[in-house]
Amino acid sequence: MKKSLISLFAAAVAGVVLMSGCTSVESTQKFNAVNVCNTSSERPVCQTHVVMTGYYFLGLPTLVGSAAGDGKASIFQNTLTTENVMSLLTREVKAKGATRLLNVQVQSSSQSMLLPFFSERSIQASGTGVRPAGLPAGASVNSYGMP
C-alpha cells in the first residue's frame, strides 16, 4: 500500500511538471507614471521577465524549458542556455513594441533535488523595453540593432 502511494505521488508530480512547461515569459506595461528610462527621449514599453528551468538526471537533460515560448518544454534536449533565454526576452519586448532593451540582468542557478542524482537548473533574464518618445506605436527603428 505504501509503495503504491509513493508511485502515485511520483506520477502526479511528473504529470504536473510535464503539463506546466518549463518556460515562463511574463511582461507588464504598467509603470504608474514612473520614468524608468535614462533619458526623457525614451519611454518605457514593458518590463519583461523570462525563466527557463531544466530537470536533469545524472547531468543529462530530462525535461527542459524550450525556446519555442511561454509554457513550452522539451524532453531529453539541453535547450537551457543563456542564448535561448535572451532570445525569448528580446522576442517578447519586440512584440510589445520596444526598440531597445535596458537594464538587462541574467542569473543562473543550480540545485540538487534527490541526492546527487537529480538536479534542477534555471536561467532567468529580465529587462525594460523602451522606444523613442515621439515614435508612433506601429513604427520601428533599426538604429538600435536589436535582433
Side-chain angles (χ1 to χ4, degrees):
M1 178 69 174
K2 188 175 182 181
K3 194 174 188 179
S4 64
L5 283 176
I6 291 173
S7 297
L8 182 62
F9 177 74
V13 169
V16 168
V17 168
L18 281 172
M19 292 191 324
S20 66
C22 295
T23 302
S24 171
V25 180
E26 298 180 6
S27 285
T28 183
Q29 294 181 295
K30 298 185 183 212
F31 294 95
N32 297 324
V34 174
N35 186 12
V36 296
C37 297
N38 296 334
T39 67
S40 61
S41 64
E42 295 177 321
R43 66 176 183 85
V45 175
C46 63
Q47 176 67 36
T48 303
H49 184 75
V50 177
V51 179
M52 189 181 286
T53 304
Y55 299 96
Y56 295 80
F57 176 70
L58 296 175
L60 301 172
T62 53
L63 183 65
V64 182
S66 172
D70 188 29
K72 304 294 184 185
S74 59
I75 299 174
F76 305 122
Q77 295 177 345
N78 193 15
T79 56
L80 185 63
T81 64
T82 302
E83 180 179 351
N84 286 340
V85 172
M86 287 302 297
S87 174
L88 286 167
L89 179 64
T90 55
R91 220 180 320 164
E92 177 71 10
V93 298
K94 281 180 75 173
K96 299 289 185 196
T99 58
R100 194 161 85 107
L101 193 54
L102 300 177
N103 306 321
V104 176
Q105 295 183 357
V106 179
Q107 178 183 357
S108 63
S109 63
S110 179
Q111 64 182 9
S112 293
M113 291 174 52
L114 293 171
L115 303 172
F117 303 115
F118 292 99
S119 64
E120 175 189 42
R121 299 176 191 165
S122 177
I123 299 177
Q124 302 178 28
S126 65
T128 305
V130 299
R131 67 184 300 109
L135 191 65
S140 64
V141 174
N142 296 325
S143 63
Y144 292 116
M146 191 166 72

